[in-house]
Amino acid sequence: LGIPAEPLFRSPLNLASYPNAETVIYDRYGRKIATLSNKEEWDGTYGGEALPTGDYWFILRLNEPDDNRTFKGHFTLYR
């Protein structure tokens, strides 16, 4: 199997009203894996290498002057 052609992680689609939104992805050790702007996608790699199956966490910050909410969650990356 290889890395699928589709991105493995996408920021939520309903962020059109939040152009400054940022998503940061972390591994289970707290290492920052990726920082994504509002419309970026993540392919499941770090430093050009495919990451293993496992749990990853994210923090989504809206970063707007009138709405600076932060959302946290996790997902499982399957290979």
Side-chain angles (χ1 to χ4, degrees), residues 8-9 42 52-57 74-79:
L8 298 170
F9 184 91
W42 178 58
T53 293
D55 291 329
Y56 295 83
W57 287 259
H74 78 283
F75 62 94
T76 302
L77 173 66
Y78 292 102
R79 293 279 179 198

Side-chain angles (χ1 to χ4, degrees), residues 37-62:
S37 67
N38 188 354
K39 297 182 190 230
E40 284 184 296
E41 300 170 335
W42 178 58
D43 63 1
T45 63
Y46 178 74
E49 299 290 323
L51 289 171
T53 293
D55 291 329
Y56 295 83
W57 287 259
F58 67 89
I59 297 175
L60 168 63
R61 293 182 181 92
L62 298 181

Side-chain angles (χ1 to χ4, degrees), residues 5-69:
E6 288 293 312
L8 298 170
F9 184 91
R10 291 186 180 120
S11 294
L13 298 175
N14 57 350
L15 290 176
S17 298
Y18 304 98
N20 297 317
E22 175 182 82
T23 303
V24 181
I25 299 172
Y26 299 91
D27 67 9
R28 64 181 172 166
Y29 303 109
R31 176 178 58 168
K32 186 190 298 187
I33 300 298
T35 302
L36 310 174
S37 67
N38 188 354
K39 297 182 190 230
E40 284 184 296
E41 300 170 335
W42 178 58
D43 63 1
T45 63
Y46 178 74
E49 299 290 323
L51 289 171
T53 293
D55 291 329
Y56 295 83
W57 287 259
F58 67 89
I59 297 175
L60 168 63
R61 293 182 181 92
L62 298 181
N63 292 332
E64 295 299 321
D66 60 339
D67 193 348
N68 201 27
R69 289 180 288 169

